[in-house]
Amino acid sequence: MRTPTWNRRPSGTSDMVAVTAGLTSVEVTLSGGASEGITRPPVFTCSIYTPGKTSIKIYVDDGVPLPQDLIFSVLVSGTENSDWRLVELDIIVPLGPADPDSHKLMVRYNESGPRMLSNLRFNVVASLKHDEDDESTKFLVLRLLPRSEKGWIDVKKIGGDISFLLCLADVNLFDRGTAFVKLGTAAYYTYRYDQAPREGDFTVRIDR
């Protein structure tokens, strides 16, 4: 997946990938490792699944996939000793047809939007973006925003779960029984980089 041009990793950073129960999350630290006195940002472990399942399950009626609610699970760890302040966490969903060579989760999204499942310290809003170099490349950006007049939240106060529900998504139907789709993430902080996010990605499974 090509990184959207409005999200660029700052120079001098590198990725450290943490794998939890088969799910990939990305924690980005300063190149060369964290120096003394500098704490690390939290780790967000992301996955998407149909309620009651462990993956996205496609239900078909007369050859047409049915719209379904999707749970976007976002589990948070590594906050206990961190002094970072989260401004925004984005999940970036590339949009497009069910191309066998370039998997996309869905073609478009025009429904009622996302809603938080339990953590009322956050709002979640949806917006559409396009690649600045190619306007035909579009993304659904799901933005987790702290409910704070300050515009940020101390990561110690986030809690362990900021999952949300995306209502009535038209998931692409692929020819093969199982397909995998890659999505992006971008976390914005006040601690070190005001503008440039810390980016990562994760992969979700779609079963027919």
Side-chain angles (χ1 to χ4, degrees):
M1 182 186 72
R2 189 173 185 274
T3 303
T5 54
W6 71 91
N7 288 329
R8 293 297 190 197
R9 180 180 293 111
S11 60
T13 64
S14 60
D15 286 351
M16 181 172 69
V17 179
V19 179
T20 305
L23 304 175
T24 303
S25 62
V26 173
E27 173 189 350
V28 184
T29 62
L30 298 178
S31 58
S35 60
E36 184 177 357
I38 298 178
T39 63
R40 293 182 175 180
V43 175
F44 300 99
T45 302
C46 301
S47 62
I48 307 174
Y49 53 87
T50 300
K53 305 293 182 181
T54 58
S55 63
I56 298 174
K57 173 66 176 177
I58 302 292
Y59 297 99
V60 178
D61 183 19
D62 289 334
V64 178
L66 299 174
Q68 62 171 299
D69 295 341
L70 296 178
I71 293 176
F72 281 65
S73 172
V74 184
L75 304 181
V76 189
S77 60
T79 61
E80 296 83 358
N81 300 311
S82 178
D83 58 359
W84 288 62
R85 296 169 174 175
L86 180 69
V87 175
E88 178 175 336
L89 175 66
D90 294 348
I91 295 180
I92 303 157
V93 184
L95 299 176
D99 186 335
D101 298 322
S102 179
H103 291 173
K104 304 292 192 300
L105 184 62
M106 49 191 166
V107 175
R108 66 184 66 84
Y109 184 75
N110 298 316
E111 298 301 330
S112 58
R115 62 189 65 179
M116 296 301 299
L117 287 176
S118 60
N119 193 331
L120 298 183
R121 293 186 178 93
F122 284 81
N123 286 316
V124 56
V125 297
S127 61
L128 292 175
K129 302 284 187 179
H130 63 79
D131 193 305
E132 292 179 359
D133 298 329
D134 181 5
E135 292 194 3
S136 65
T137 302
K138 297 181 179 180
F139 304 88
L140 173 67
V141 182
L142 301 166
R143 306 172 62 205
L144 284 156
L145 303 167
R147 294 175 182 259
S148 171
E149 293 181 353
K150 297 176 291 187
W152 51 264
I153 185 172
D154 187 326
V155 298
K156 296 186 186 71
K157 298 179 180 179
I158 290 177
D161 191 335
I162 50 174
S163 301
F164 59 91
L165 185 76
L166 184 66
C167 301
L168 298 176
D170 288 308
V171 179
N172 280 332
L173 181 65
F174 295 91
D175 291 336
R176 63 185 65 181
T178 298
F180 295 90
V181 176
K182 182 177 288 188
L183 284 72
T185 61
Y188 295 81
Y189 299 94
T190 65
Y191 181 72
R192 184 164 294 275
Y193 300 107
D194 288 336
Q195 300 298 325
R198 300 203 157 217
E199 297 173 343
D201 56 56
F202 65 101
T203 301
V204 299
R205 174 173 171 162
I206 301 174
D207 294 318
R208 292 188 64 172

